[in-house]
Amino acid sequence: MYFHDKDEKEVENNLDTIMNTVGKINVPVSDNITLEVSNPVYEYSTVLEVVPNMNIPRIDKEQYEMQLYYNLVKGMSRRKTLENTMRKDGLYYIFHYGIDCKKVCVTGNQISIINSIEYPVLNNLLAYIVAQLLYENIEDKPFTLELDIEQERQLKKLKYYLSRCYHNTWHLVREYLLCNEKKITNRFKNLGFVNLRQVEMKMKRN
């Protein structure tokens, strides 16, 4: 959860401070609780990291544990890198979230440009599969976190593709948690896909 206080005093001219400002807000929930990890929210000169609050009552223990695993995977598959090439308009920081990323240009200690590369369907399905592998191997119980009919169809199709490009599924776990988007892309290229955008569109197609 997050907030951005527009009356907050201006952030100091320090990149570490600018890239790690955090806030929170409490949100009421109903009996039908789902937990989500969102990507950071970007304001003009502040990046707000978004993390889930796991202290939630009135939810089945096993459902809670499965959601915990799913969100743990999404929380762990994050890293920040600095693009090697210097640009005229500033430094580029890249925030990785599984196979998604956001490129943030910092000019004069302020965020000036944000470019996003996102695969909402594919990235969430990969996180689900990684969470399923971890949960079933650690807890020794079936991972039955509920999906809708469309997501079930997409998951079945993705697992078929993964079975053809991964001989060892634990390689997928490692590559996803390390945000190795290039390695995962190359796996799909071996199946004839041009890029992950094409895989994303295939997941959405009936």
Side-chain angles (χ1 to χ4, degrees):
M1 307 300 178
Y2 66 87
F3 78 100
H4 180 69
D5 186 353
K6 296 186 181 298
D7 297 326
E8 185 181 20
K9 68 178 182 178
E10 188 172 348
V11 178
E12 297 176 0
N13 291 333
N14 179 290
L15 282 181
D16 288 336
T17 302
I18 289 173
M19 306 307 280
N20 293 286
T21 302
V22 178
K24 70 178 181 179
I25 186 171
N26 292 324
V27 177
V29 295
S30 66
D31 290 337
N32 298 320
I33 299 169
T34 57
L35 305 179
E36 295 291 339
V37 175
S38 302
N39 289 339
V41 176
Y42 300 93
E43 296 292 342
Y44 179 67
S45 62
T46 307
V47 175
L48 304 181
E49 188 71 9
V50 182
V51 296
N53 180 355
M54 294 297 182
N55 185 23
I56 298 179
R58 300 194 309 276
I59 185 170
D60 176 80
K61 181 177 181 292
E62 287 195 357
Q63 284 293 315
Y64 175 83
E65 288 176 347
M66 286 185 281
Q67 289 188 27
L68 187 63
Y69 270 78
Y70 177 68
N71 284 281
L72 180 63
V73 166
K74 295 186 77 172
M76 289 176 63
S77 58
R78 293 179 174 214
R79 66 188 179 95
K80 181 180 74 175
T81 58
L82 176 63
E83 193 171 79
N84 293 330
T85 308
M86 291 289 293
R87 303 292 182 90
K88 292 186 297 183
D89 47 354
L91 291 172
Y92 276 90
Y93 289 84
I94 305 176
F95 291 81
H96 304 264
Y97 319 99
I99 58 173
D100 288 351
C101 73
K102 289 184 185 293
K103 186 180 290 187
V104 180
C105 180
V106 179
T107 306
N109 291 338
Q110 291 194 340
I111 296 170
S112 58
I113 301 173
I114 300 170
N115 295 320
S116 297
I117 302 174
E118 298 180 351
Y119 311 96
V121 173
L122 182 58
N123 196 34
N124 285 333
L125 288 175
L126 287 173
Y128 184 97
I129 292 170
V130 171
Q132 185 178 45
L133 287 166
L134 293 173
Y135 181 86
E136 291 183 350
N137 278 271
I138 295 171
E139 304 295 337
D140 196 25
K141 293 184 288 189
F143 187 84
T144 57
L145 194 61
E146 187 175 350
L147 297 174
D148 61 33
I149 295 175
E150 177 64 12
Q151 289 172 324
E152 289 281 4
R153 182 193 65 80
Q154 293 166 342
L155 183 66
K156 184 177 180 180
K157 183 182 293 186
L158 180 57
K159 283 186 173 182
Y160 169 71
Y161 291 137
L162 294 176
S163 70
R164 295 173 58 202
C165 58
Y166 281 94
H167 298 297
N168 185 335
T169 53
W170 292 106
H171 291 166
L172 170 64
V173 174
R174 180 181 63 192
E175 290 165 11
Y176 187 81
L177 292 178
L178 292 176
C179 305
N180 196 335
E181 177 265 341
K182 289 184 179 179
K183 184 72 173 179
I184 294 173
T185 300
N186 288 335
R187 300 260 188 191
F188 281 100
K189 282 184 176 180
N190 291 334
L191 299 181
F193 290 100
V194 176
N195 50 38
L196 291 183
R197 179 60 60 196
Q198 195 176 61
V199 184
E200 173 82 3
M201 297 309 296
K202 190 77 172 179
M203 291 298 100
K204 294 178 179 178
R205 200 172 299 147
N206 291 326

